[in-house]
Amino acid sequence: MPPDENDTTVAQLALLSRRLEREHKARLAAEVLAEQGLRELYQTQQELRLLVSIADTANQSSSITGALRFAVTSICNHTGWEVGHAYLNHQLPAASPLRSARIWNDNLAPAFAELRDLTEQRSLVASDGWPGRVLAVRQPVWIRDLAAEPDAECQELSAAGQLRAAFAFPVIIGEEVAALLEFYCTRVQDEDPSLLSLLSQVGIQLSRAVERKISQDKLVYDATHDALTGLPNRQSFRQLLAQALLQAQQRDTHCAVLFIDLDHFKLVNDSMGHHAGDQLIVHVARRIRSSLQRLELTTPPDQYARPSCGGAVVARLGGDEFTVLLEDVIAESGPLQVAEQIQEVLKQPFQIYGQDVYSGASIGIALSAPGYYSGDEILRDADMAMYQAKSRGKSRCSVFDRSMRDLAARRLTIENDLRRALTRQEFLLNYQPIVALDNGEIIGFEALIRWRRGSTIVPPSDFIPVADNMGLIIPIGQWVLEEACRTLRHWQNHFPRQNPLTISVNVSPRQFRQPNFVMQVGRALHNAGIEPSALTLEITEGATMGNPERAIATLLQLRGLGVKLSIDDFGTGYSSLSYLHRFPLHALKIDRSFIARIDGSFQSFQVVHSIMSLANNLGIGVVAEGIETIEQVEQLRALLCQFGQGYHFSRPLTQTDAQQLLTRPVVCLTR
C-alpha cells in the first residue's frame, strides 16, 4: 500500500474513534440525564402523592387533630426524619397562643422524653424559641445544624436529644396561624428548597381543610347550643339525655334531670326590657355552672371531636328554663342537694345595669326508672315537678311522682275552663273584714276572688297561678277591681258612717305593670262613684322588683288619684329597704306565716316587732293578716298594731253574709 493511503486510513480510524468516544459520552450523559429525570419525576410523583394524600385525608378527617396527625406521620415517612410534632391554636377561630396538640411521630422516645414533656407544657408565641421564628415570619424555616445555632433552645435540643437538623412550617387561616408542624433529624441536613416548597403547599392544603372544618363545627355548634349563654340547647340536651338513659340502663345505674324555671324573669323582662332579661339569663347560666362541681361535658383531647356525656350537663331550653342532667345517681338525696345548691346561689342579687335584681328558681326533679323508655319522658316529668314546686310558693324543689300526671291533666282542664269563666260569669267575690285592733270596729273588707266551677268553688291557689301564666290575670284583675268598687258603693249607701267603709283589692304584678293600669283604676272609681281614698290597692313586693324607679312612678300616679297603697305579704319577698322608704305607701300587711307563730316563736315575734318599728319610722300603718286566736290579738295590740284580719274575726264571706255582719259593725276583742 502506498504511504499516502496508509496515512489516510490512520486518520480515518482516529476520526472514527473520536466520534465513537463522543457518542459514548453523549450516551452516558443522556443516561445520566434520563436517570436524573426519572429520579426527579419519581421525586415529583412522591411529593405529589404526599400532597394529595394529606389533602384528601385532611378534607375527609372528622377532626382537625386527625388531619394534623396524618400530616406529621406522612412527612416523617417521606423525609425519613425521626421526629415530628404539631402545635395547635385550641381556641380557633379566636386568636390564641399555640399549644402542643400532643401529636408526635417520635422514634427517639427515651432520648427525647424530657424535651417532649417540656414542649407539651409550653405556650408558643412569635419569636419564642426557634419555632417562634415561624410565627414571626409566617413562612417555613430550615435549620441545617442545631448545634451551630446561637439559640439556647437549639443547643438544648442538640445536646439532650441528639437532634441536629430541623424545619417547621405554619398553617395559616386569614391573619392567624392556626397550627405549626415541626420536624427533627439526627443528621446535619442542607436546606432542601424543593421540600420547603412542598411544605408550603402542604400548609396551604391543611389551612383550607382546617378552615372548612371550623365552618362545619360552627354550624354544628350553632345548631346544638344556645346563642345567648353558649350552653347546649334543647336539641342537644335531648340527645345527651337519651345517651345517658341508655348508659344508665346498661350499667344498671340512674340518671336525673333538674328542670329549672326562674321565678321572676317576666317581671325583669317587662319592667327593665329584653336586654336586661338577656343579661339576667347570662348571669344565671354562669351561676348554675359555677355551682356544680362536675357541670359540663367531659372535654376530649380534641375539642373539635364529638364530645362525650359525663358528669353533669347544664342546658338552656329557652326563655327562662334551664335543665341539668346528672349521671351516676345513687339516691334521691343527691339531685336534691344539687337543686338546693343551685337555689342558694340564685337567691343572691344580680347586678343588672347597676341595679340589684332578685330571681330565685323553682326546680323539678325526675329520676330515671325502669318505666322510662325515652329521655323526653323524664324531661316531661321533671317539667311537671317544676310546676308543682312553683304552685307551692316558688323557690322550691319538688321530686316527680306519678300523681303529678293526674294533676297535669286537671291543670289542662282548668286552663280550658278558665278561658270561658269570665264570659260565663263564673267568678264571684268573697269579702273578709279588716278590724281596728284598738276597738274591734270593722273598717273595711278585702275582696277575695273565687271561681264557681260547676257545683264546686275553686280556691284562688288552684287557678290564680294558671291564670297568671295564661295572661288571663289581667282581665280577671280588672273585673275584680270594678266589682269590688261597685259592692263598696252599695255598702256605703246602705251602711253610712262617719269614716266610710273601705275596700282592699289585690293587684297582680302583671296587672300592676300594665301601661294603662292607673287609667283602669281611675275608670273603676269613676264608674262606681266612690271616693278614691276608700280604695286600697294591695301590691306584692314582687311587683316592685326589677325596676323600682318605674314602680315608684306608678305608685306616685296612683297616690295622685287619691287611692291608698299597701304592700301585701310583707316579709316574704325581697323588698329593698333602700327603695321602700321612697314608696308612697299607706300600710304594710304582715304575712300570715309570722302571725301564726307570734305567740310561740320568739323569732317570729321579733320579726313582727321589727316590721312595726319600720312602719312607725316610715309613718305608715300595719295590717296583720291570718289572726286566728285571741292570744295573737293580744300580742299584736301590745305591739301597737293598728289593724288585723283573719279567721278569729271572720272567714271570707259572700256579699250577703258580709252585709249581715255590717249590721253589727264591732267584733269582740276579749276572751
Side-chain angles (χ1 to χ4, degrees), residues 322-375:
F322 295 84
T323 49
V324 174
L325 168 62
L326 301 175
E327 294 189 278
D328 300 323
V329 174
I330 299 175
E332 182 181 297
S333 59
L336 272 172
Q337 290 175 355
V338 174
E340 290 169 356
Q341 183 179 352
I342 292 173
Q343 285 184 323
E344 190 61 31
V345 299
L346 295 183
K347 286 180 181 178
Q348 306 306 315
F350 296 88
Q351 274 286 316
I352 306 294
Y353 298 146
Q355 296 186 29
D356 283 347
V357 174
Y358 292 84
S359 179
S362 300
I363 302 179
I365 303 169
L367 281 73
S368 63
Y372 287 114
Y373 298 100
S374 72

Side-chain angles (χ1 to χ4, degrees), residues 14 64 68 107 128 137 162 206 210 271 306 312 374 385 458 493 591:
I64 293 175
L68 295 179
N107 294 325
D128 178 15
V137 300
Q162 298 103 41
L206 286 175
V210 169
S271 61
R306 184 177 180 180
S374 72
V458 183
N493 289 338
D591 186 70

Side-chain angles (χ1 to χ4, degrees), residues 4 42 66 139 141 144 147 171 276 287 328 344 384 398 414 450 461 523 570 574 584 591 611 624-625 656:
D4 56 341
Y42 177 77
Q139 293 179 354
V141 171
R144 176 180 179 275
V171 177
R287 285 201 189 173
D328 300 323
E344 190 61 31
M384 287 186 190
S398 182
I414 287 177
R450 299 291 186 265
S461 59
R523 184 168 59 245
F570 187 77
Y574 302 98
D591 186 70
I611 294 175
E625 56 183 349
T656 301

Side-chain angles (χ1 to χ4, degrees), residues 302-492:
D302 176 11
Q303 76 172 80
Y304 304 102
R306 184 177 180 180
S308 61
C309 179
V313 181
V314 62
R316 182 190 178 205
L317 300 191
D320 60 340
E321 294 179 341
F322 295 84
T323 49
V324 174
L325 168 62
L326 301 175
E327 294 189 278
D328 300 323
V329 174
I330 299 175
E332 182 181 297
S333 59
L336 272 172
Q337 290 175 355
V338 174
E340 290 169 356
Q341 183 179 352
I342 292 173
Q343 285 184 323
E344 190 61 31
V345 299
L346 295 183
K347 286 180 181 178
Q348 306 306 315
F350 296 88
Q351 274 286 316
I352 306 294
Y353 298 146
Q355 296 186 29
D356 283 347
V357 174
Y358 292 84
S359 179
S362 300
I363 302 179
I365 303 169
L367 281 73
S368 63
Y372 287 114
Y373 298 100
S374 72
D376 286 344
E377 292 178 337
I378 301 178
L379 190 61
R380 174 202 63 198
D381 290 347
D383 190 10
M384 287 186 190
M386 181 277 294
Y387 274 108
Q388 175 74 4
K390 192 174 285 288
S391 68
R392 291 165 49 201
K394 300 184 179 181
S395 294
R396 296 177 181 268
C397 299
S398 182
V399 179
F400 174 80
D401 62 59
R402 303 294 175 180
S403 64
M404 291 181 184
R405 289 182 184 163
D406 297 333
L407 290 175
R410 290 198 297 270
R411 178 187 175 90
L412 180 60
T413 303
I414 287 177
E415 288 184 0
N416 292 333
D417 291 348
L418 263 178
R419 297 184 187 279
R420 298 184 289 267
L422 263 179
T423 56
R424 293 179 176 178
Q425 299 182 341
E426 294 177 351
F427 292 115
L428 67 153
L429 292 182
N430 280 182
Y431 302 89
Q432 187 172 38
I434 300 174
V435 177
L437 296 184
D438 59 345
N439 58 16
E441 180 184 5
I442 297 175
I443 65 162
F445 291 84
E446 179 181 359
L448 302 168
I449 189 171
R450 299 291 186 265
W451 178 19
R452 185 188 294 109
R453 186 176 176 219
S455 59
T456 61
I457 298 296
V458 183
S461 59
D462 286 358
F463 71 87
I464 289 296
V466 179
D468 191 29
N469 289 333
M470 296 171 64
L472 292 176
I473 196 67
I474 294 175
I476 291 174
Q478 182 64 21
W479 176 84
V480 170
L481 178 63
E482 293 175 351
E483 180 68 16
C485 288
R486 283 194 295 267
T487 301
L488 179 63
R489 178 59 180 171
H490 174 74
W491 287 343
Q492 287 180 342

Side-chain angles (χ1 to χ4, degrees), residues 539-541 567-573 589-592 625:
I539 300 163
T540 62
E541 295 178 73
I567 292 290
D568 195 17
D569 300 331
F570 187 77
T572 61
K589 291 194 74 172
I590 305 177
D591 186 70
R592 65 182 65 249
E625 56 183 349

